[in-house]
Amino acid sequence: MAAAVSLVAVIPMSVWLPRVPTAEADHHTWNLFGRTPTPGNWVNGDGAYPVPLPGGRVAWLFGDSKVRRADGTDAVVHSTIVVQTGEAKLRTLAGGTSAQPADLIPPVQPGTWLWPSSGFVEPGRLMVFAEEFTRPAGGDGFQATHRRYLIPFQLPDLVQDAPRPVYDGPVAWGHAALVSGNDVYVYGNLQRDGWTNLTYLARFPLGDSGAYWQFWNGHRFAQQPLTAAPLRGPDGKALVAKIASVIPMPGPSAAGTDTGGGFAALTINPFANTIDMRIAPGPQGPWGAKQTLYKVPEPRSYLPHARTDANGTVRLAYSVPDQRPRYLTVNW
């Protein structure tokens, strides 16, 4: 994908930048997900992308998960949704049976699987972005096929409809999703190497996920995908961090934004030990310098995902290899 060279005006961040929040362990959510699983229910997994649903429920999107079989052993599946009801109950959605659980989202192409990457709610539906992967020839691990889909789940029962293809190619669209005003903003990650990434941005009208997307080209949103440009930082250079989650910030109106204090993007650099936050006045940036939100005690942690509760509380989860995610509450 061509990345157009652009000049972006730099907004003085010190004029409106709010105080850096702090984060602490969310023991209640940790204990909720740590209850002894019953047959057909979630044991552990990664991804942990939370999407608030109407009525106070939360849909947690997981990639690789272990789901408890009826005989007490565990099956590894590539996609599940765990529905949290209030603060007390979990319900696991997976494919197959309690004797042999399977992927919730079945593969579209032979020899592949789908990992959910993000989601949002439009009227009457939970919409889940999923990216397709396959095994490398003659090896272990995984590699992206550069195909991705948007999968509707009808509310309130989360009945799955057919996957819809979205823009393919090297940019992993749907790595994060943000609903702001009447639009859905879709963040796409382009991995340059094992250490650096570029983030692109598109949008479409909320409730019309089948509409043509518009792509941020460094100056404005346009309909030509090949003009998309990477998002920029305060120095005008492209961001090289992998944005895992973007949320509206709580607080009083500032700098003309239509949310309280602008927007916050969360990242963990490869092999780093901090969750970092970057602030911007709009979904497209420009994004400020990274600020440490939380020092991570576990090695090789990844994918910090956040949601804002109806009461304005920000809760965050990040993944740990081969373990349950860790959960945090963010104090602004």
Side-chain angles (χ1 to χ4, degrees):
M1 174 178 292
V5 177
S6 59
L7 297 176
V8 179
V10 178
I11 296 177
M13 306 300 285
S14 60
V15 172
W16 65 280
L17 182 65
R19 180 177 298 175
V20 179
T22 59
E24 60 186 9
D26 180 353
H27 298 291
H28 180 86
T29 305
W30 169 260
N31 292 333
L32 178 64
F33 276 89
R35 293 177 181 174
T36 302
T38 55
N41 280 313
W42 185 88
V43 178
N44 64 35
D46 68 354
Y49 195 103
V51 185
L53 300 178
R57 297 185 301 164
V58 179
W60 292 85
L61 314 178
F62 287 98
D64 277 348
S65 290
K66 289 183 180 179
V67 176
R68 183 61 47 89
R69 295 188 182 98
D71 64 2
T73 61
D74 298 330
V76 176
V77 299
H78 289 306
S79 59
T80 60
I81 296 178
V82 178
V83 180
Q84 177 183 353
T85 303
E87 297 292 334
K89 186 177 180 181
L90 300 177
R91 179 170 67 97
T92 302
L93 302 179
T97 66
S98 61
Q100 185 55 53
D103 298 1
L104 173 66
I105 307 172
V108 177
Q109 306 288 337
T112 68
W113 69 89
L114 294 171
W115 272 331
S117 54
S118 69
F120 64 94
V121 171
E122 65 179 25
R125 293 186 293 192
L126 166 67
M127 307 296 291
V128 175
F129 282 103
E131 187 169 5
E132 187 180 77
F133 290 86
T134 188
R135 298 286 180 205
D140 296 326
F142 57 89
Q143 66 181 25
T145 67
H146 293 172
R147 291 188 293 263
R148 51 201 60 89
Y149 301 87
L150 189 56
I151 300 124
F153 289 83
Q154 300 292 334
L155 296 173
D157 297 327
L158 294 172
V159 177
Q160 182 180 335
D161 286 341
R164 306 173 183 172
V166 298
Y167 292 85
D168 57 12
V171 176
W173 293 107
H175 210 263
L178 165 72
V179 175
S180 181
N182 296 320
D183 291 304
V184 178
Y185 292 87
V186 184
Y187 293 84
N189 183 71
L190 176 63
Q191 183 172 310
R192 290 202 304 195
D193 52 48
W195 299 92
T196 60
N197 300 264
L198 298 177
T199 299
Y200 294 80
L201 179 62
R203 71 180 184 187
F204 55 80
L206 180 64
D208 193 6
S209 53
Y212 286 107
W213 292 12
Q214 294 180 322
F215 301 84
W216 179 252
N217 64 13
H219 304 282
R220 59 185 178 85
F221 285 96
Q223 291 186 348
Q224 298 80 18
L226 293 181
T227 66
L231 299 186
R232 304 286 171 170
D235 56 2
K237 297 180 180 179
L239 290 177
V240 294
K242 187 175 185 177
I243 291 180
S245 187
V246 180
I247 59 170
M249 291 184 59
S253 180
T257 60
D258 59 0
T259 62
F263 298 86
L266 301 174
T267 63
I268 297 178
N269 286 342
F271 301 103
N273 63 350
T274 62
I275 297 176
D276 300 319
M277 182 181 72
R278 291 168 170 81
I279 305 301
Q284 71 275 10
W287 295 95
K290 71 177 183 180
Q291 305 166 77
T292 298
L293 175 64
Y294 182 75
K295 292 186 177 180
V296 179
E298 301 87 2
R300 298 186 294 124
S301 300
Y302 55 101
L303 292 180
H305 291 148
R307 78 179 194 274
T308 304
D309 290 347
N311 61 5
T313 301
V314 175
R315 302 185 187 276
L316 187 151
Y318 63 92
S319 294
V320 177
D322 302 319
Q323 300 181 43
R324 279 189 286 149
R326 304 301 194 260
Y327 305 93
L328 306 173
T329 299
V330 182
N331 304 305
W332 299 94

